[in-house]
Amino acid sequence: MAMCRLHRIFCSVLTLALPIALGGCPLAIVSGLGAAGGAGYAANQERGVGGTFDDVGTKTSIQNAWLQVNPLMQRDFDITVYQGRVLLTGMSPNPELKAQAKQTAAQVPGVRVVYDEIEVAPSEGVGQSTKDTWISTQIRSKLTFDGQVRSVNYTIETVNGSVYVIGSARSQAELDRVTEDARSVASVKRVVSYVEIRPGEPVAAQPVTPAQASAPRAEAPDAPAAAPATAVEVQKL
């Protein structure tokens, strides 16, 4: 798994080099499409710049908590956070470590709900990790160039051929399109969705009234009604 993480870091470095050499690794080319906008990219998301920073802080807090409880969790598991909703993925050598990772993450301030998709199985080899990275890259590419999908509102994670999607859809039709884009990629075994549907104008773009600005900030609920409590799983044809 350590080798897998080194591979991801390597691809991230290639992504940063994209503006210099467009003829580089295909993994870098698509990843650069999302990152190039910086703060503007975050502002276009449903969660906005503030929500993005909150999620980054929540992820860091979970990583720190894992490091204190059991460093193996930080080494072997991945964390994706979207509007306080936490998706855990990776391979665990035993059920106890998997349960401990979820319990620790759930206790971190700012976490609204935890989706535990950690598998109890041997760690992925470098070959499978590379294939998973390529699957995620192809799906992100499809979503980016799909005019009927706001791709910035979706985060993709692939583990052992299983694709996990978390984010926010503007409609069921858009979510269905995202699912189909993911299913059409070679080597995808299944698609698991933790996407919530939020019709209308993105929350980050809605105007704030004077009354809302002066009102005390309400505490976020443990599990918002719009957030899916369980996964929606779509088997690949």
Side-chain angles (χ1 to χ4, degrees):
M1 182 60 72
M3 288 295 295
C4 298
R5 290 189 178 278
L6 286 175
H7 172 78
R8 294 171 186 166
I9 293 173
F10 174 71
C11 288
S12 297
V13 172
L14 289 177
T15 298
L16 295 175
L18 174 62
I20 301 174
L22 290 176
C25 173
L27 298 180
I29 293 176
V30 179
S31 299
L33 295 173
Y41 170 80
N44 287 328
Q45 297 185 49
E46 166 70 33
R47 53 184 169 176
V49 175
T52 300
F53 281 124
D54 287 345
D55 287 343
V56 170
T58 299
K59 178 177 179 177
T60 301
S61 296
I62 295 173
Q63 290 173 328
N64 291 338
W66 279 358
L67 187 60
Q68 293 179 11
V69 174
N70 190 330
L72 290 178
M73 294 188 290
Q74 189 180 28
R75 187 195 71 180
D76 293 343
F77 307 147
D78 289 313
I79 306 164
T80 304
V81 184
Y82 194 94
Q83 292 182 320
R85 299 185 290 125
V86 177
L87 170 65
L88 305 181
T89 54
M91 304 293 191
S92 176
N94 56 69
E96 292 75 21
L97 189 64
K98 166 185 165 76
Q100 191 177 38
K102 179 180 180 180
Q103 181 180 17
T104 303
Q107 295 173 348
V108 170
V111 173
R112 300 163 70 181
V113 62
V114 177
Y115 304 132
D116 181 10
E117 289 291 349
I118 296 173
E119 299 180 35
V120 179
S123 298
E124 285 186 315
V126 175
Q128 182 61 52
S129 179
T130 301
K131 181 183 292 186
D132 288 343
T133 300
W134 179 230
I135 288 173
S136 295
T137 300
Q138 292 180 85
I139 295 173
R140 293 188 188 106
S141 176
K142 283 179 174 289
L143 299 185
T144 298
F145 292 105
D146 191 329
Q148 299 183 46
V149 172
R150 178 169 285 183
S151 61
V152 294
N153 286 337
Y154 300 91
T155 299
I156 309 295
E157 289 291 333
T158 305
V159 180
N160 198 27
S162 294
V163 176
Y164 301 97
V165 187
I166 187 170
S168 178
R170 294 172 294 176
S171 66
Q172 182 62 53
E174 182 185 72
L175 179 54
D176 291 343
R177 195 169 183 89
V178 170
T179 301
E180 285 303 314
D181 283 344
R183 294 173 70 200
S184 67
V185 172
S187 300
V188 170
K189 297 177 181 178
R190 60 180 185 144
V191 178
V192 181
S193 171
Y194 284 107
V195 176
E196 60 182 351
I197 300 175
R198 304 180 71 133
E201 190 176 17
V203 173
Q206 294 174 1
V208 179
T209 65
Q212 290 174 326
S214 60
R217 185 175 179 179
E219 293 294 327
D222 292 335
T230 58
V232 177
E233 184 170 328
V234 181
Q235 297 290 342
K236 181 174 172 61
L237 294 176

